[in-house]
Amino acid sequence: MSAVRGTVEPASVVGLLLASVTFAYDTASFLRQQPGGASRPVAALADDLARTVEKEWLSESRARGLRDHGVLPLSWMTERTADGPEGAAVTLRLSGRLDGDFDAAVQRMAESFDQLAGRRMVLVGEPGSGKTVLAILLTLGIVKSRPEGGPVPVLLSASSWDPIATPKLDEWVAQAVADTYYGFKREAIDALLAENLVIPVIDGLDEMRESGRRTAVQRTNESIRQGRGVVLTCRAAEYADLIAGGSPTLHQAPVVRVEPVAVEDVIRYLQDVPWPPEVSWDDVYAELRANPQSPVGQMMSTPLMVSLARSVYQRLGGRPADLLKQHVYESRYDVEDYVLDQVIEAAYAEAPAPDETGPRFYRPPDVAKATRWLTYLAVDLHLHGQRDLVWWQLAQRLLSPWVPPVVSVAAGMFLMALVSAGISVLDGDHRVGLVATIAISAGTGAGFSVLFLVVWFASGTPSPRRILVNRHGAFARCRDAFLTGLAAAR
């Protein structure tokens, strides 16, 4: 009996290890597998992507408060008409208003977009005017009104596109969508692009480097095929400079401008806010009605600045009438800077006071420390010409360029000393001479230092990865893993 046990137990252990490895491999494959898979019908892939896009941007619209009835109204109107197939102007008036009826605004945006023969559009507006909000509305409108198996809009940030390094629009769209929705695998999105089932909504053309904007429009015109829809958003001044500089316009695409917020809309919005007792906007209301082009009137013409001013005075209190000091604030930018200087303090002032049900180890927010950190991040983005925070690269930027060579030399010297000590201990008969010991230990340390530097600079900074779970075929994979492990154990 003991002999039998002696032969069975090692095999069982090996089988158990093989089963564990197989199960781990199948689990990893299960987690890495993209949703759906490119082997499914293209129409089914489009419908799956549409459901994901709709869920994502509905959640984002709720987070931004776009579905609230008290939302600040947002209006848009055609600025320039589109060029027809033979150069003739196509007269279309695309206008609308978001004033709390979210679903109606989404539907109007989709209907306006469907009127365009080429399904192409350029959205322009002032900084903070709501271009991204309109891009979200348009994305949701298209995805809600699309037929089964129809084209799917995908909202992408233009700042991630380098049209010089990646000249083809489809190549960039495929990579960006794969990174966001398909776990970095491109089979499904490539299949959708091949069937013309993707409508890129490219937000923030102005966030690209100035030298790349004209190229981006050129590449977009070269890449879009007949019937392919595309939407660009850009600040009004940057787009005007782009066209004045000789850039081609987007083929068959009208330019839709986001309108400034009307004075009465601003007043009605602020009157509905529960203000602290000492906060009174009466003087500001009077100035807005009497002189809408004053510095404070221009500042309050964009949703971004209105919402920031609301946050500052709702959380910190104070006198909004201070915004009217003409001798201090000579332009809208002076007023904006005054408000922006208080945004961080206002954001942290919202932190709740500790109570019996709150965190046990509560610490009040440190506004000075937060200001210092956020300032550092802003300066870092400016120095590197970036609009998006690439947080996983911060560690490399914080290190001095002398860190790798110093660490490699120190590690090499430590290894050299360790090898020398090891030779001295193991070579009791002193067969290895002093020169040979030094040569071996020095060669080992130097080789390790060189290898360390090669690995350091060759590895770079990997991008973070996303884990996507797909239930399709999960039972079959787990069953196969179990049977393989069971067979190995037997």
Side-chain angles (χ1 to χ4, degrees):
M1 190 68 172
S2 60
V4 174
R5 286 182 179 177
T7 58
V8 172
E9 288 180 359
S12 300
V13 172
V14 172
L16 180 61
L17 291 175
L18 288 175
S20 301
V21 171
T22 305
F23 179 76
Y25 174 80
D26 283 298
T27 302
S29 301
F30 160 65
L31 293 175
R32 289 197 305 267
Q33 185 174 352
Q34 65 182 24
S39 60
R40 300 176 61 197
V42 177
L45 291 176
D47 293 339
D48 282 348
L49 179 59
R51 285 190 288 269
T52 303
V53 169
E54 181 178 11
K55 180 180 179 181
E56 175 185 7
W57 292 112
L58 276 176
S59 175
E60 180 66 19
S61 67
R62 294 189 185 97
R64 291 171 179 254
L66 300 181
R67 303 185 69 92
D68 299 341
H69 290 288
V71 68
L72 188 65
L74 188 65
S75 303
W76 58 93
M77 185 176 296
T78 306
E79 182 182 65
R80 275 198 298 276
T81 56
D83 292 332
E86 299 180 359
V90 178
T91 303
L92 285 172
R93 189 166 185 81
L94 305 178
S95 60
R97 177 179 169 89
L98 172 63
D99 54 2
D101 193 347
F102 180 84
D103 295 327
V106 164
Q107 183 178 356
R108 284 196 301 271
M109 286 291 290
E111 291 173 351
S112 299
F113 187 73
D114 288 337
Q115 294 177 27
L116 305 176
R119 306 192 83 190
R120 297 163 196 165
M121 179 189 297
V122 178
L123 289 170
V124 300
E126 299 299 322
S129 61
K131 299 181 296 296
T132 299
V133 170
L134 284 187
I136 294 174
L137 291 180
L138 183 57
T139 300
L140 286 172
I142 298 172
V143 81
K144 283 177 173 292
S145 63
R146 63 181 287 278
E148 289 189 9
V152 184
V154 288
L155 181 55
L156 305 172
S157 174
S159 61
S160 65
W161 183 21
D162 183 353
I164 304 299
T166 310
K168 293 185 178 180
L169 175 66
D170 281 6
E171 181 70 19
W172 170 66
V173 170
Q175 192 60 57
V177 175
D179 293 352
T180 304
Y181 298 112
Y182 291 103
F184 299 86
K185 294 188 177 182
R186 289 185 41 174
E187 291 83 353
I189 184 60
D190 284 338
L192 292 174
L193 286 168
E195 296 296 327
N196 215 22
L197 291 177
V198 176
I199 301 176
V201 181
I202 304 173
D203 183 35
L205 188 65
D206 54 278
E207 295 183 0
M208 301 177 67
R209 295 181 183 273
E210 186 175 356
S211 59
R213 295 172 195 159
R214 181 188 302 181
T215 306
V217 178
Q218 292 174 339
R219 301 305 187 196
T220 302
N221 281 332
E222 293 169 1
S223 300
I224 53 180
R225 298 185 291 273
Q226 186 65 31
R228 162 70 68 83
V230 64
V231 179
L232 298 178
T233 76
C234 186
R235 291 183 178 179
E238 279 79 354
Y239 191 74
D241 292 342
L242 194 65
I243 300 304
S247 173
T249 59
L250 189 64
H251 292 329
Q252 301 181 32
V255 177
V256 178
R257 173 183 282 272
V258 185
E259 296 289 297
V261 183
V263 168
E264 292 304 323
D265 287 334
V266 174
I267 294 174
R268 191 178 304 111
Y269 173 76
L270 295 177
Q271 286 176 338
D272 291 337
V273 176
W275 298 106
E278 73 278 9
V279 176
S280 173
W281 287 84
D282 293 340
D283 293 340
V284 176
Y285 297 157
E287 176 68 15
L288 292 177
R289 289 190 172 106
N291 189 9
Q293 294 304 314
S294 64
V296 69
Q298 294 180 36
M299 185 272 287
M300 300 289 275
S301 66
T302 62
L304 175 62
M305 293 310 303
V306 174
S307 61
L308 290 180
R310 166 186 169 166
S311 298
V312 166
Y313 287 101
Q314 189 176 26
R315 298 171 188 172
L316 299 180
R319 298 180 64 253
D322 291 341
L323 300 173
L324 304 178
K325 296 178 179 178
Q326 300 288 349
H327 63 286
V328 178
Y329 310 121
E330 298 179 354
S331 69
R332 65 176 295 177
Y333 305 108
D334 294 331
V335 188
E336 289 177 356
D337 289 343
Y338 173 75
V339 174
L340 290 173
D341 286 343
Q342 304 176 72
V343 166
I344 297 177
E345 183 180 357
Y348 280 84
E350 192 184 23
D355 53 28
E356 295 181 358
T357 61
R360 182 177 178 183
F361 300 102
Y362 175 84
R363 290 193 304 175
D366 189 334
V367 178
K369 184 180 293 185
T371 303
R372 186 170 65 254
W373 289 345
L374 292 172
T375 301
Y376 170 81
L377 293 177
V379 172
D380 182 79
L381 291 175
H382 175 74
L383 292 176
H384 292 87
Q386 295 177 334
R387 296 295 182 95
D388 296 328
L389 180 61
V390 189
W391 54 265
W392 55 92
Q393 294 180 357
L394 289 177
Q396 293 288 343
R397 295 174 183 173
L398 288 171
L399 291 177
S400 168
W402 290 100
V403 169
V406 169
V407 172
S408 67
V409 170
M413 293 180 65
F414 174 77
L415 185 60
M416 182 176 67
L418 191 65
V419 171
S420 298
I423 292 176
S424 300
V425 172
L426 296 176
D427 187 23
D429 298 335
H430 302 288
R431 295 180 179 180
V432 181
L434 177 62
V435 175
T437 300
I438 294 175
I440 294 172
S441 58
T444 304
F448 179 82
S449 296
V450 172
L451 180 62
F452 179 90
L453 288 175
V454 170
V455 172
W456 179 285
F457 289 108
S459 60
T461 305
S463 301
R465 297 286 175 172
R466 167 184 284 194
I467 295 178
L468 296 177
V469 178
N470 178 22
R471 297 183 181 88
H472 181 71
F475 176 77
R477 288 192 296 273
C478 291
R479 179 200 59 203
D480 294 342
F482 176 77
L483 292 177
T484 302
L486 183 63
R490 293 178 62 187

